[in-house]
């Protein structure tokens, strides 16, 4: 039973990623990975952030983050500016196109949540979220 649950979570993750990827492509944002969306979300919350801070927030190493950010910069979604005090430090921020992407993602996220919880009562949703938090904490809390 436990293996089935883990398999279901994995399948749901894949299905929701496919859902978002399809909707993004329909709106002119092709070839985006979920980690790209996470970066753009972090930049909407933190208006200007260093590459190191971003890597920590998205739980990736700095070299992987750099590769992801370069793609977003090439697509015109992110601006990378060297620090005036230390040329090795780079500050990241959203461009206008990046802001538009985040607005679209906000709309798509609402659509996804509606689809995700279709047929659930508020109590069932609260219980489900509570169970997911408990599972997450099993991996976060050190024994």
């Amino acid at each position: 039973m436990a293996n089935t649950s883990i398999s279901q979570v994995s399948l749901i993750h894949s299905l929701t990623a496919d859902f978002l990827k399809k909707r993004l492509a329909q709106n002119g944002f092709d070839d985006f990975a979920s980690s790209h969306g996470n970066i753009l979300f972090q930049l909407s919350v933190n208006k200007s952030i260093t590459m190191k801070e971003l890597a920590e927030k998205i739980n990736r190493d700095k070299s992987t983050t750099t590769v992801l950010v370069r793609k977003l910069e090439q697509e015109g979604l992110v601006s990378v500016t060297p620090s005036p005090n230390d040329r090795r430090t780079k500050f990241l921020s959203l461009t206008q196109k990046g802001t538009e992407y985040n607005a679209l993602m906000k709309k798509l996220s609402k659509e996804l949540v509606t689809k995700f919880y279709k047929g659930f009562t508020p109590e069932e949703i609260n219980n489900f979220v509570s169970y997911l938090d408990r599972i997450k904490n099993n991996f976060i809390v050190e024994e």
Side-chain angles (χ1 to χ4, degrees):
M1 184 82 157
N3 287 341
T4 303
S5 298
I6 293 169
S7 177
Q8 287 290 84
V9 168
S10 180
L11 177 59
I12 291 166
H13 177 265
S14 179
L15 290 169
T16 58
D18 290 348
F19 172 89
L20 288 173
K21 187 170 181 136
K22 180 180 175 185
R23 293 294 195 280
L24 285 168
Q26 290 170 344
N27 286 276
F29 290 98
D30 301 333
D31 197 28
F32 277 84
S34 60
S35 47
H36 290 126
N38 193 8
I39 289 170
L40 295 170
F41 172 76
Q42 290 299 327
L43 292 175
S44 73
V45 173
N46 306 279
K47 301 302 179 198
S48 180
I49 190 171
T50 66
M51 191 75 76
K52 180 181 177 188
E53 292 168 329
L54 178 63
E56 290 170 2
K57 289 187 181 294
I58 66 168
N59 197 31
R60 298 281 189 268
D61 62 46
K62 195 171 176 221
S63 61
T64 300
T65 302
T66 299
V67 170
L68 293 166
V69 167
R70 275 196 195 125
K71 167 125 173 93
L72 294 172
E73 185 180 25
Q74 290 169 351
E75 295 289 328
L77 296 161
V78 171
S79 172
V80 180
T81 310
S83 167
N85 302 329
D86 180 357
R87 303 297 277 172
R88 295 170 296 172
T89 301
K90 309 247 187 278
F91 286 100
L92 311 171
S93 58
L94 286 176
T95 62
Q96 180 60 37
K97 186 176 178 183
T99 301
E100 291 168 8
Y101 171 91
N102 279 341
L104 173 62
M105 276 307 297
K106 188 174 184 178
K107 177 183 159 233
L108 294 179
S109 291
K110 285 182 182 177
E111 185 181 340
L112 177 65
V113 168
T114 299
K115 187 174 194 71
F116 192 93
Y117 288 117
K118 181 180 177 184
F120 283 77
T121 66
E123 182 180 3
E124 289 172 326
I125 294 169
N126 287 336
N127 288 338
F128 180 67
V129 171
S130 174
Y131 300 146
L132 290 176
D133 281 340
R134 286 172 52 192
I135 293 168
K136 177 191 72 181
N137 288 334
N138 287 340
F139 289 95
I140 294 174
V141 177
E142 293 186 33
E143 296 179 29

